Amino acid sequence: MSDDTTPAAMWGQAEQVQARMRRGGRWYPVMMTAYGVVTIGLVAWIPLLRSTRAGVAFALVVVAWAVVIFWWKHRQDVRPVSRRDTRVWVVSWVVLYVAGVSWFGPTYLDRSVGWWALMGVVVAVPAFAEAIRGWARVRS
């Protein structure tokens, strides 16, 4: 057996790879935290949309935000591997967003930016939960 194929050497290499993966994955919880914060801002902005121009500006901001996140995520060397886990937080976020923006907000919150921002916090819970889960995986 050569020195680099001994169990101790292989164990050391595995620990080095794991440490590199954790360091390389630290961007993910940061992105998810930013996703949650931006969600709060976007939801709080909705009651201010009173014209077609404001609606178009809102749509452009949302599209630009999605493009930047998609582009940045795919430039990272280390990415989440579980599509199931991603689906869980995305589906939860979409359900909360659609229910909040199309039904709860217009029905109960009127145009109060503060209440909409609070609802934005609720909508952002799946993103923040995913950020916490991500931090638990990458901390060394």
Side-chain angles (χ1 to χ4, degrees):
M1 238 185 223
S2 67
D3 284 342
D4 62 342
T5 59
T6 64
M10 290 169 55
W11 185 264
Q13 290 172 350
E15 287 177 340
Q16 289 174 351
V17 168
Q18 184 180 36
R20 279 196 317 252
M21 293 293 287
R22 287 177 188 262
R23 278 192 309 274
R26 288 187 180 148
W27 67 270
Y28 183 69
V30 172
M31 183 196 79
M32 292 310 302
T33 301
Y35 193 96
V37 170
V38 170
T39 294
I40 295 167
L42 290 176
V43 172
W45 190 7
I46 290 172
L48 303 175
L49 302 175
R50 297 176 188 238
S51 69
T52 302
R53 186 174 291 171
V56 169
F58 179 77
L60 290 174
V61 167
V62 171
V63 168
W65 173 55
V67 167
V68 167
I69 283 181
F70 182 79
W71 172 79
W72 188 60
K73 179 181 175 188
H74 285 285
R75 291 189 44 136
Q76 305 304 314
D77 293 330
V78 177
R79 291 191 291 264
V81 294
S82 173
R83 290 178 190 253
R84 183 188 152 281
D85 290 343
T86 300
R87 263 193 309 270
V88 166
W89 81 260
V90 168
V91 168
S92 301
W93 182 89
V94 167
V95 167
L96 287 170
Y97 183 83
V98 169
V101 169
S102 66
W103 170 71
F104 188 83
T107 303
Y108 297 106
L109 304 181
D110 197 32
R111 293 199 176 272
S112 172
V113 174
W115 286 112
W116 278 81
L118 185 58
M119 185 178 66
V121 172
V122 173
V123 172
V125 164
F128 291 138
E130 181 68 6
I132 291 167
R133 196 175 71 78
W135 280 118
R137 286 187 170 184
V138 299
R139 69 175 185 207
S140 328

